[in-house]
Amino acid sequence: MTSLRFSRFALRSIALAIGAAATFSCSEPTAPTPREATQPSALLGLPITIGIGGVRIVDTTVATLRWATPLPNDVTTSATIGPEGGTITIPETGFRLDVPAYAVTSPTTITVTAVAGPTVAYEFQPAGTTFAKRLTVRQDLSLTTILPALLGTKFTGAYFSSRDDILPDGSALVHELEPTSVDLFSLNVRFTVSHFSGYLVAVD
């Protein structure tokens, strides 16, 4: 983990050298791209069936973001979030979920589970919950294998319906795509979601 943190520092230095605006993604560096203006990565070869703003409803297989060290066990955390909003984190995996104010109308217990194994994937409960405002998912990239190829990689948030959709070869069957924003300085990828239950990051 120390070597990963060193790589994180080195990569920040490179990013500073190539410009203070060195972020890349489907959006501006300080906020998610307006959803109506976003397209998922063309290299994913997606058989798009329905388009809703920046979200794409699909049924396709993608390559997934992978942990530098596979998770030996599930890591789960829960918090009760009220109408005022709140944040849920899993420090061990560099995960953060921001729930904005008025996304829920009454106190709601949200449970997030980092799925054991090599794929960066999370399950969210209560399954099937929809929100009045979109929630923001953030993932620290310094804990993954993507650092050496970070500058040439495109990312897409992806919805999966069950763990059976995550395949041993590093791919996954996904059913919905979300545009992402990637920040080289903080080394995180973020995307927004409007419902639960499973999300991962597709890479290209």
Side-chain angles (χ1 to χ4, degrees):
M1 191 69 71
T2 301
S3 63
L4 286 173
R5 294 302 179 187
F6 178 80
S7 297
R8 181 174 184 168
F9 175 80
L11 189 55
R12 279 205 181 100
S13 299
I14 293 170
L16 287 169
I18 63 175
T23 55
F24 68 95
S25 69
C26 299
S27 70
E28 295 299 321
T30 56
T33 297
R35 306 185 67 78
E36 65 275 10
T38 305
Q39 297 294 331
S41 171
L43 297 181
L44 287 171
L46 301 172
I48 296 172
T49 57
I50 303 173
I52 307 174
V55 181
R56 294 295 183 265
I57 309 302
V58 301
D59 189 11
T60 193
T61 300
V62 297
T64 63
L65 185 66
R66 313 274 278 179
W67 296 115
T69 302
L71 291 183
N73 303 290
D74 286 355
V75 182
T76 299
T77 188
S78 296
T80 299
I81 305 295
E84 70 279 6
T87 297
I88 300 173
T89 63
I90 303 180
E92 301 95 318
T93 66
F95 169 88
R96 173 173 171 155
L97 178 70
D98 292 316
V99 182
Y102 308 115
V104 297
T105 58
S106 61
T108 302
T109 299
I110 293 176
T111 300
V112 184
T113 298
V115 177
T119 296
V120 179
Y122 296 90
E123 293 177 327
F124 299 81
Q125 299 288 338
T129 302
T130 59
F131 299 92
K133 292 187 176 181
R134 299 183 69 86
L135 285 53
T136 300
V137 174
R138 301 173 191 263
Q139 175 60 50
D140 183 351
L141 295 172
S142 71
L143 304 177
T144 74
T145 60
I146 207 65
L147 285 184
L150 181 57
L151 294 178
T153 301
K154 296 179 181 179
F155 301 84
T156 307
Y159 163 72
F160 65 93
S161 59
S162 77
R163 294 193 186 196
D164 291 339
D165 291 338
I166 303 172
L167 307 178
D169 65 358
S171 64
L173 176 63
V174 299
H175 312 287
E176 192 173 297
L177 297 174
E178 300 281 355
T180 64
S181 176
V182 180
D183 189 334
L184 286 178
F185 300 113
S186 62
L187 286 181
N188 72 65
V189 58
R190 69 177 183 259
F191 58 93
T192 65
V193 303
S194 62
H195 65 88
F196 285 163
S197 22
Y199 289 93
L200 54 80
V201 179
V203 296
D204 185 5

